[in-house]
Amino acid sequence: MTSPAYQVTDPSTGEVVESFESATDADVEAALTAAAEAYSSWKDVPIADRATVVKKVAALFAERADELAKIAQTEMGKPVGEGVEEAEFCQAIFDYFADEGPTLAADQPIKTFSGGRAVVQKLPIGPLLGIMPWNFPFYQIARFAAPNLMLGNTIILKHAESVPRSALAVEQILKDAGVPEGAYVNVFATHDQIETIIADPRIAGVSLTGSERAGAVVAALTGKNLKKCVLELGGSDPMVVLDTDDLDSVAGDAWDFRMYNTGQACNSNKRMIVMEDLFDDFVARLTEKALSLESFSPLSSRRAAETLAEQVQDAVDKGATLHAGGTLSDGPDAHYSPAVLTGVTKDMRAYSEELFGPVAVVYKVGSDDEALALANDTTYGLGGSVFSADPTRAEKIAQRLEVGMANVNSTAGEGAEIPFGGVKRSGFGRELGPLGMDEFVNKRMFYVAD
């Protein structure tokens, strides 16, 4: 007998804590019916009234932050403090769209040259399917659900198989906040059932945050069925350090950002590109930080830790230098000691693959042009950052980064109001900020003649 697809496995021990049965086909049909029926009335609720409900969702995320943090720690190893921060970020996201949504969704007048009155309206399009990952089990849902509930769309949410408690906790928050029955439905769908949901004519669009492989599958399915999709996929973001008046600060920021969420963030600085005159000191500071760690959180799963270990070992076998860390536990837990790696070359997996875990890879360059060329030498294009004591010098490089999010003297501009998304094989579409309400909408032209 195969084990249930949805289960809680504590990555700190490898112990299976709880299992959940996958949805039946009848459950999927019920979710589709409920989402469609709810849409018929939710879309007509005045946006100010929808905002009142969304505001209550925000408040409940804050109220239940500690509870949510403990769930995430058990399911995917997130440090409790970071779990609380994630819940608070969800509060900020729902608050932002509740407050700004009516303005962002307002009619946009168009200048006409033939008389009459023309506007572009932003109208909902229908039930949506959200396919979410485990690494930020609450935030990923928030940035998809908040703007779309404000617009009047309804949501069927398929979460990662490893975080079912997180999925149920979010569903309960939305229910308790007064989101109407069917307007937000969690479903523990199988992969075959996801295909069925996407093909169903009641579904108007699909948002996926996940791997490049999953994105390709969903893009093919949505294309086949003529559905809009938004894809937030992997990243191998460059952090370019040209010069600095405070190496301790820059190296500290680099390390903290790379290790956040145990290195399991799409937009973390997975490739640190440092000028040769700073390189040795920069690496020394990261190495010191790695060696000083007395304890560290597990990765999300044993398999994730093993994959990361294989990528790093491949680099070492081909001549890269491992300065610290890089030790995989004996198992069945998912601990992997935070590592510092240099000397990575194009023949190594670590050069072209995303390292989704606590590994700081540092490259040495001799010029701004070399730094830029290396920064852009990737199939990914999520985010990137450039650091310099001379902002003009940094901006010149940042302007030429082939990414969806470019930052100067900051590892990442983040906030509910800051759009998130990438180009190239990091996907397409944007979430958060004003652009977050500009994806799953009918941008209807409305013209009234004189």
Side-chain angles (χ1 to χ4, degrees), residues 335-410:
H335 288 90
Y336 183 84
S337 58
V340 179
L341 189 67
T342 64
V344 171
T345 55
K346 289 189 177 184
D347 62 325
M348 303 171 187
R349 292 175 59 188
Y351 187 89
S352 57
E353 296 180 9
E354 180 179 24
L355 300 186
F356 213 59
V359 180
V361 179
V362 192
Y363 295 86
K364 181 194 298 184
V365 292
S367 69
D368 291 19
D369 287 343
E370 185 183 357
L372 178 65
L374 178 55
N376 287 336
D377 188 21
T378 174
T379 59
Y380 295 108
L382 191 54
S385 60
V386 185
F387 286 75
S388 173
D390 178 359
T392 301
R393 181 186 182 192
E395 284 188 38
K396 185 177 179 181
I397 301 297
Q399 289 282 11
R400 298 174 67 191
L401 292 177
E402 297 167 355
V403 298
M405 303 175 288
N407 305 274
V408 172
N409 289 332
S410 171

Side-chain angles (χ1 to χ4, degrees), residues 263-334:
Q264 300 165 122
C266 297
N267 66 324
S268 69
N269 49 340
K270 301 189 179 82
R271 296 179 299 134
M272 302 177 197
I273 300 169
V274 182
M275 282 293 171
E276 55 190 359
D277 60 326
L278 300 175
F279 180 82
D280 289 342
D281 288 341
F282 187 90
V283 171
R285 282 164 171 76
L286 297 191
T287 301
E288 181 182 356
K289 289 180 178 296
L291 293 174
S292 68
L293 290 173
E294 296 182 359
S295 64
F296 43 90
S297 297
L299 272 73
S300 63
S301 68
R302 179 67 188 180
R303 183 63 198 137
E306 291 173 346
T307 298
L308 187 65
E310 291 165 4
Q311 292 170 308
V312 172
Q313 189 59 50
D314 171 77
V316 172
D317 290 345
K318 294 174 180 175
T321 300
L322 184 62
H323 297 261
T327 300
L328 177 66
S329 66
D330 293 335
D333 62 286

Side-chain angles (χ1 to χ4, degrees), residues 43 51 99 107 117 122 154 206 328 352 367 387 401 445:
K43 66 183 175 65
D99 294 340
D107 293 352
R117 175 173 59 89
K122 291 187 177 181
T154 57
V206 182
L328 177 66
S352 57
S367 69
F387 286 75
L401 292 177
M445 187 284 299

Side-chain angles (χ1 to χ4, degrees), residues 98-287:
D99 294 340
E100 302 296 326
T103 300
L104 295 174
D107 293 352
Q108 297 176 338
I110 302 172
K111 184 176 181 180
T112 65
F113 299 94
S114 55
R117 175 173 59 89
V119 298
V120 173
Q121 300 173 314
K122 291 187 177 181
L123 306 178
I125 60 172
L128 308 173
L129 171 64
I131 305 172
M132 296 295 124
W134 49 262
N135 59 328
F136 289 94
F138 313 119
Y139 156 72
Q140 304 283 8
I141 295 177
R143 68 186 197 183
F144 165 61
N148 285 301
L149 288 173
M150 279 298 298
L151 283 164
N153 295 317
T154 57
I155 292 169
I156 294 176
L157 200 291
K158 186 273 174 202
H159 218 323
E161 289 87 345
S162 60
V163 290
R165 286 181 176 175
S166 295
L168 294 172
V170 173
E171 183 182 45
Q172 191 64 49
I173 282 175
L174 271 71
K175 180 179 180 180
D176 292 346
V179 174
E181 189 76 24
Y184 181 96
V185 183
N186 178 77
V187 60
F188 289 150
T190 66
H191 290 175
D192 288 343
Q193 289 169 337
I194 292 171
E195 187 169 351
T196 298
I197 294 170
I198 292 174
D200 193 284
R202 289 168 288 189
I203 290 293
V206 182
S207 178
L208 173 135
T209 298
S211 69
E212 183 181 342
R213 179 168 164 265
V217 171
V218 167
L221 289 171
T222 53
K224 176 183 176 182
N225 291 284
L226 297 178
K227 308 285 177 75
K228 168 70 182 285
C229 72
V230 167
L231 303 178
E232 301 285 3
L233 309 178
S236 190
D237 291 12
M239 174 183 175
V240 179
V241 182
L242 301 174
D243 63 74
T244 178
D245 293 332
D246 189 348
L247 187 60
D248 284 338
S249 177
V250 173
D253 288 348
W255 180 258
D256 291 345
F257 190 50
R258 185 64 189 99
M259 294 301 129
Y260 195 78
N261 206 39
T262 321
Q264 300 165 122
C266 297
N267 66 324
S268 69
N269 49 340
K270 301 189 179 82
R271 296 179 299 134
M272 302 177 197
I273 300 169
V274 182
M275 282 293 171
E276 55 190 359
D277 60 326
L278 300 175
F279 180 82
D280 289 342
D281 288 341
F282 187 90
V283 171
R285 282 164 171 76
L286 297 191
T287 301

